Amino acid sequence: MATWGTRGLRGSTLEDLINHTNERYKESGLALIQKIPTPIKPINIDKESRHITLAYFDQKSTVDYIGAVQGIPVCFDAKECVSTTFPLQNIHEHQMIFMEEFEKQGGVSFIILYFTGLDEMYYVPFRRLLEYWNRGRNGGRKSFTYEEIDKTYQIHTKHGAYVHYLEMLQKDLDSRD
Amino acid sequence: MATWGTRGLRGSTLEDLINHTNERYKESGLALIQKIPTPIKPINIDKESRHITLAYFDQKSTVDYIGAVQGIPVCFDAKECVSTTFPLQNIHEHQMIFMEEFEKQGGVSFIILYFTGLDEMYYVPFRRLLEYWNRGRNGGRKSFTYEEIDKTYQIHTKHGAYVHYLEMLQKDLDSRD
Ligand SMILES: [Mg+2]
Ligand SMILES: [Mg+2]
């Protein structure tokens, strides 16, 4: 299988690849996912050019993406990891709380984790993330490793979707029944 | 019943009232709704202060709010209307398309419409909005009026939720069965 690096997509960010995937999902009616912009509060706007000349980063952001997949509310965050160890400090507590509450509302929360050095992507279900998180909370390591990741949740490219995470979402759903 | 204007909430924007409502819904586990920030692309950031000194309004926004309500994907937009006629040009085509596709994904789309002069709020189901929209498209009036609104969809204040739209969401869902 082609790797991420050999697709002529070097230079594309993980966000670019996911946005492109979401476009394909929209076109094919598989899902409708909204990218949530970074909250920025504009203070001064130049009237002529409509450029913002002063703004602040606003309240804490929650997740990167939120939407609907065939009747199911879905939210997720995209994370990159250069080494084979992912420091949990890269996920903020308010993100964990949001994802947990989203699951309590009958939604599905997960992260898409890209090991850039290995050129591999994984769907990490929220329940797994929460296990790592609680381990750190309870005095354990403040990170999780590539070795710990469930490799059956690897995300592949399919049907023109560079980051075909819906396949793993289905697997996640099946595992809950 | 107290009106919006007599609640000591004058000066609060519609967005403030909805955000407050969503906080209450979150606290009581009724819903988890995310405000979607206006998309702004920061260009220059002052390193010391972290203030943004140049930014542009980015791609078109879709809806104001998106989230999960007890297993159901939900999205909506908040609109204000000073007169008793709502011009359809206040809703952009890409918003209509987003809301339509969201419904096709098994979600529920609607707008919260605040007639500021009358101090009344209504839940307008997407299917009604689409009727008005298509009427305008087919040579009819490019607006709809207060008189046309289904008054049984009026939104009230309840249980500390200033804009208790979940009641009308339930009514909308019931009407689909
Ligand atoms: Mg991210
Ligand atoms: Mg609005």
Side-chain angles (χ1 to χ4, degrees):
Chain A
M1 199 202 71
T3 63
W4 303 95
T6 58
R7 276 168 206 149
L9 294 167
R10 269 195 209 284
S12 298
T13 64
L14 177 57
E15 193 177 300
D16 290 336
L17 298 175
I18 294 173
N19 292 346
H20 182 276
T21 299
N22 288 337
E23 274 300 312
R24 294 304 304 267
Y25 286 162
K26 187 171 80 167
E27 286 162 17
S28 53
L30 287 174
L32 185 63
I33 305 290
Q34 171 73 42
K35 171 83 178 78
I36 302 186
T38 307
I40 291 172
K41 190 186 186 67
I43 306 295
N44 296 331
I45 298 169
D46 183 272
K47 282 196 183 116
E48 264 181 48
S49 66
R50 288 280 292 161
H51 292 174
I52 299 158
T53 54
L54 182 62
Y56 303 138
F57 287 102
D58 208 5
Q59 91 264 27
K60 292 175 286 188
S61 61
T62 51
V63 288
D64 294 327
Y65 296 92
I66 190 165
V69 181
Q70 299 158 54
I72 300 161
V74 163
C75 80
F76 61 97
D77 214 272
K79 300 283 184 195
E80 292 186 50
C81 185
V82 287
S83 75
T84 52
T85 300
F86 184 82
L88 286 167
Q89 66 187 17
N90 289 352
I91 300 174
H92 299 288
E93 185 168 20
H94 66 268
Q95 292 188 307
M96 289 298 291
I97 292 170
F98 184 89
M99 286 191 281
E100 185 162 35
E101 287 173 345
F102 198 84
E103 289 251 333
K104 282 187 185 151
Q105 281 301 327
V108 175
S109 306
F110 59 94
I111 64 168
I112 292 178
L113 181 55
Y114 181 25
F115 290 99
T116 54
L118 298 166
D119 202 22
E120 290 178 16
M121 277 195 206
Y122 292 92
Y123 175 113
V124 183
F126 176 73
R127 65 180 176 280
R128 289 306 297 273
L129 198 60
L130 191 60
E131 283 169 26
Y132 301 140
W133 183 266
N134 287 335
R135 182 176 66 187
R137 285 250 145 162
N138 297 326
R141 54 186 302 165
K142 304 289 185 273
S143 60
F144 62 89
T145 66
Y146 172 78
E147 283 68 34
E148 293 183 273
I149 292 282
D150 182 347
K151 304 300 183 302
T152 67
Y153 274 98
Q154 188 169 358
I155 297 171
H156 298 287
T157 287
K158 261 183 203 168
H159 316 303
Y162 292 135
V163 186
H164 186 34
Y165 61 85
L166 284 188
E167 198 172 32
M168 294 305 132
L169 173 66
Q170 187 60 57
K171 180 173 153 71
D172 182 2
L173 286 169
D174 291 345
S175 76
R176 295 170 188 226
D177 293 337
Chain B
M1 198 201 72
T3 63
W4 302 97
T6 58
R7 276 168 206 149
L9 293 167
R10 268 196 209 287
S12 297
T13 64
L14 176 57
E15 192 177 301
D16 290 337
L17 297 175
I18 294 173
N19 292 346
H20 182 277
T21 300
N22 288 337
E23 274 300 313
R24 294 304 304 266
Y25 286 162
K26 187 172 80 167
E27 285 162 17
S28 53
L30 287 174
L32 185 65
I33 305 291
Q34 171 73 44
K35 171 82 179 79
I36 302 184
T38 307
I40 291 173
K41 190 185 185 68
I43 306 295
N44 296 332
I45 298 169
D46 182 273
K47 280 195 184 118
E48 265 180 47
S49 65
R50 289 280 293 159
H51 293 174
I52 298 157
T53 54
L54 181 62
Y56 303 139
F57 287 102
D58 209 5
Q59 91 264 27
K60 292 175 287 187
S61 61
T62 53
V63 289
D64 294 327
Y65 296 92
I66 191 165
V69 181
Q70 298 158 55
I72 300 161
V74 164
C75 80
F76 62 98
D77 214 273
K79 299 285 184 194
E80 292 185 50
C81 185
V82 286
S83 76
T84 52
T85 299
F86 185 82
L88 285 168
Q89 66 188 17
N90 290 352
I91 300 174
H92 298 288
E93 186 168 19
H94 67 269
Q95 292 188 306
M96 288 300 289
I97 292 170
F98 185 89
M99 287 191 280
E100 185 162 35
E101 287 174 345
F102 198 83
E103 289 251 332
K104 283 187 185 150
Q105 280 303 325
V108 175
S109 306
F110 59 93
I111 65 168
I112 292 178
L113 181 55
Y114 181 26
F115 290 99
T116 54
L118 299 165
D119 202 22
E120 291 177 16
M121 276 194 207
Y122 292 92
Y123 175 112
V124 183
F126 175 73
R127 65 180 176 280
R128 289 305 297 272
L129 198 60
L130 191 61
E131 282 170 26
Y132 302 139
W133 183 267
N134 286 335
R135 182 176 67 186
R137 286 249 145 162
N138 297 326
R141 55 185 303 165
K142 305 289 185 273
S143 61
F144 62 89
T145 66
Y146 173 77
E147 284 69 34
E148 293 182 273
I149 292 282
D150 182 348
K151 303 301 183 301
T152 66
Y153 274 97
Q154 189 170 356
I155 297 172
H156 298 287
T157 287
K158 261 184 203 168
H159 316 304
Y162 292 136
V163 186
H164 187 34
Y165 61 85
L166 284 189
E167 199 172 33
M168 294 305 132
L169 174 67
Q170 187 60 57
K171 180 173 154 71
D172 181 3
L173 287 169
D174 291 345
S175 76
R176 295 170 188 226
D177 295 337

